[in-house]
C-alpha cells in the first residue's frame, strides 16, 4: 500500500507539473496581450491586475506541485528500497491509471467477514475477552473448598514408602463474591471493547465504500461536465483565433479554462485513488492487481487431501 500510494502520487504530481507549466506559459501570453490592450487604453487597470494576480497564483501552484513531485519521487524510492538516483531514466507504467477499477459491490459485502477476521486489533480484543472469561471461571470455582490429593514416593534405607497426603483449601469468608464481581466487571469491559472494535471495523468499511462512491461520482462530474465544456471552448477558441474572430486575450482565457479543468480532473483522480487505497486498508486485502492471483496459486499447490 505504501508503494501504491507513492506511485499514484508520482503520476499525479508529474501531471500537475506538466499542466502547471503549460498554464504558466499561457498566462504569460495572456498577460502580455492584456498589457498591450491596457497601454492602448482598451482595458482597465483592474482587469490587468486581476490577470496578474491569477498568474501569480498559478506560479505558486506550480511551485507547490514541483515540491510535491520531488517528495513523491523520494517516497517512491524509499518504498522500493533504492536510492533516488536509481529512479532516473526508469519508465513508470500504470495501465488503467486514469480509469479507477470497477468492483462488484456484492463481492465486497462478502469480504466483510474475512476483513474482520484479518484485523489484528479485533484478534487482540477477542483474546482479551477470552482471558477475562477464563479469569471469571477461575474466580467462580474458588467459591467452593478445594481438595488436593498428593501421592508421593520416597526411599529410605532400602524401604520404599508411598506417602499419601490430602490438602484442603477453604474459600474466603465472603465466598469469593468480591473477586467474582470484579472478574465479571473485567469481562463486561472486555466485551464492550470487543463490540467497539467490531463496530469501528464495520464503520471504517462503510466509510471507505461511501467515500469511494463519492470520489468516483465527483470524477465523473468533472470529466462529463467541466472538462468537456472547457475542451469544447478551447477548440472553438483555436478555430476563432485562426479565423481572426478573437484576439490573443480571449484565446488565452479559453486555454486557461481548459488547464484549470485538467487540474480539477487531477484532484478528482487523486481522491479516487486515495479512496481505493482506503477501501483496501479497511478490507485488509487487495481489490486489484497481481496480488489477487496469489491465493489461487497457493490453493493449486495443495493436494486434494491437504488442509491449509
Amino acid at each position: 500500500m505504501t508503494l501504491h500510494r507513492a506511485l499514484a502520487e508520482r503520476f499525479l504530481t508529474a501531471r500537475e507539473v506538466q499542466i502547471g507549466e503549460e498554464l504558466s506559459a499561457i498566462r504569460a501570453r495572456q498577460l502580455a496581450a492584456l498589457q498591450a490592450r491596457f497601454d492602448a487604453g482598451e482595458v482597465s487597470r483592474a482587469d490587468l491586475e486581476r490577470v496578474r494576480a491569477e498568474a501569480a497564483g498559478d506560479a505558486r501552484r506550480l511551485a507547490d506541485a514541483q515540491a510535491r513531485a520531488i517528495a513523491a519521487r523520494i517516497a517512491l524510492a524509499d518504498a522500493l528500497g533504492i536510492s533516488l538516483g536509481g529512479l532516473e531514466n526508469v519508465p513508470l507504467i500504470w495501465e488503467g491509471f486514469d480509469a479507477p477499477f470497477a468492483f462488484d459491490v456484492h463481492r465486497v459485502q462478502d469480504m466483510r467477514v474475512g476483513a474482520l477476521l484479518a484485523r489484528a486489533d479485533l484478534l487482540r480484543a477477542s483474546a482479551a475477552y477470552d482471558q477475562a472469561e477464563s479469569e471469571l471461571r477461575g474466580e467462580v470455582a474458588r467459591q467452593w473448598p478445594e481438595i488436593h490429593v498428593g501421592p508421593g514416593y520416597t526411599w529410605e534405607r532400602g524401604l520404599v514408602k508411598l506417602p499419601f497426603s490430602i490438602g484442603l483449601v477453604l474459600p474466603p469468608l465472603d465466598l469469593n463474591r468480591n473477586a467474582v464481581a470484579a472478574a465479571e466487571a473485567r469481562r463486561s469491559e472486555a466485551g464492550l471493547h470487543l463490540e467497539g472494535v467490531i463496530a469501528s471495523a464495520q464503520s471504517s468499511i462503510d466509510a471507505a465504500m461511501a467515500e469511494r462512491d463519492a470520489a468516483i461520482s465527483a470524477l465523473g462530474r468533472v470529466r462529463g461536465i467541466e472538462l468537456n465544456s472547457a475542451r469544447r471552448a478551447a477548440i472553438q477558441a483555436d478555430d476563432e483565433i485562426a479565423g481572426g474572430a478573437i484576439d490573443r486575450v480571449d484565446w488565452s482565457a479559453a486555454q486557461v479554462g481548459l488547464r484549470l479543468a485538467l487540474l480539477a480532473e487531477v484532484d478528482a483522480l487523486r481522491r479516487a485513488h486515495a479512496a481505493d487505497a482506503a477501501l483496501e486498508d479497511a478490507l485488509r486485502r487487495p481489490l486489484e492487481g497481481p496480488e489477487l492471483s496469489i491465493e489461487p496459486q497457493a490453493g493449486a499447490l495443495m493436494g486434494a487431501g491437504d488442509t491449509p
Side-chain angles (χ1 to χ4, degrees):
M1 293 307 300
T2 301
L3 179 60
H4 180 101
R5 290 185 172 93
L7 187 60
E9 190 63 19
R10 177 71 180 90
F11 275 86
L12 293 169
T13 53
R15 191 169 300 181
E16 284 179 330
V17 170
Q18 178 184 357
I19 297 173
E21 291 174 348
E22 295 176 359
L23 182 58
S24 295
I26 295 172
R27 283 290 193 190
R29 299 174 67 177
Q30 183 185 25
L31 191 59
L34 199 61
Q35 182 69 46
R37 273 193 179 186
F38 173 76
D39 295 338
E42 298 178 1
V43 295
S44 64
R45 179 172 293 276
D47 294 334
L48 179 62
E49 295 301 327
R50 176 181 56 80
V51 174
R52 184 174 284 117
E54 292 175 351
D58 295 336
R60 183 177 60 256
R61 187 185 298 111
L62 175 59
D64 294 340
Q66 291 172 341
R68 289 195 302 271
I70 295 175
R73 290 179 58 198
I74 295 174
L76 181 59
D78 183 67
L80 292 173
I82 61 176
S83 64
L84 185 59
L87 287 178
E88 295 295 335
N89 301 323
V90 175
L92 301 176
I93 301 174
W94 188 331
E95 297 181 359
F97 178 78
D98 291 324
F101 70 95
F103 63 92
D104 188 0
V105 178
H106 299 289
R107 175 173 171 266
V108 174
Q109 294 293 344
D110 295 337
M111 293 167 61
R112 281 178 173 269
V113 177
L116 294 178
L117 295 177
R119 295 180 68 98
D121 53 354
L122 192 146
L123 295 178
R124 286 194 298 267
S126 179
Y129 180 82
D130 291 340
Q131 180 66 27
E133 175 70 20
S134 178
E135 292 177 356
L136 175 59
R137 292 177 181 272
E139 296 298 340
V140 170
R142 293 187 183 94
Q143 289 181 315
W144 291 273
E146 296 181 14
I147 300 176
H148 300 276
V149 179
Y153 173 86
T154 60
W155 183 85
E156 183 179 358
R157 298 179 182 180
L159 298 177
V160 177
K161 298 180 181 181
L162 300 175
F164 190 80
S165 63
I166 297 178
L168 178 64
V169 180
L170 297 177
L173 296 178
D174 64 345
L175 297 180
N176 211 33
R177 293 189 181 93
N178 292 333
V180 171
E184 288 179 343
R186 290 192 296 269
R187 186 186 65 173
S188 299
E189 181 181 0
L192 292 175
H193 177 65
L194 178 58
E195 292 177 357
V197 172
I198 295 175
S200 177
Q202 292 176 342
S203 63
S204 66
I205 296 175
D206 293 335
M209 293 184 64
E211 170 59 19
R212 189 184 191 279
D213 292 340
I216 297 301
S217 298
L219 180 60
R221 288 193 299 270
V222 170
R223 288 176 172 174
I225 301 176
E226 184 175 350
L227 185 58
N228 283 339
S229 298
R231 186 172 284 113
R232 287 195 298 268
I235 294 174
Q236 182 178 358
D238 289 336
D239 296 337
E240 290 178 350
I241 196 172
I246 60 175
D247 60 4
R248 186 64 62 180
V249 174
D250 296 331
W251 175 86
S252 299
Q255 300 302 322
V256 165
L258 175 59
R259 270 62 184 185
L260 292 177
L262 289 173
L263 289 176
E265 182 191 21
V266 173
D267 291 337
L269 192 59
R270 175 180 283 110
R271 181 183 178 186
H273 280 282
D276 288 341
L279 182 58
E280 289 194 9
D281 281 344
L283 292 175
R284 296 297 196 271
R285 63 180 301 170
L287 297 178
E288 63 170 343
E291 294 85 359
L292 295 178
S293 62
I294 294 176
E295 184 176 356
Q297 289 179 356
L301 294 177
M302 288 191 286
D306 297 338
T307 56

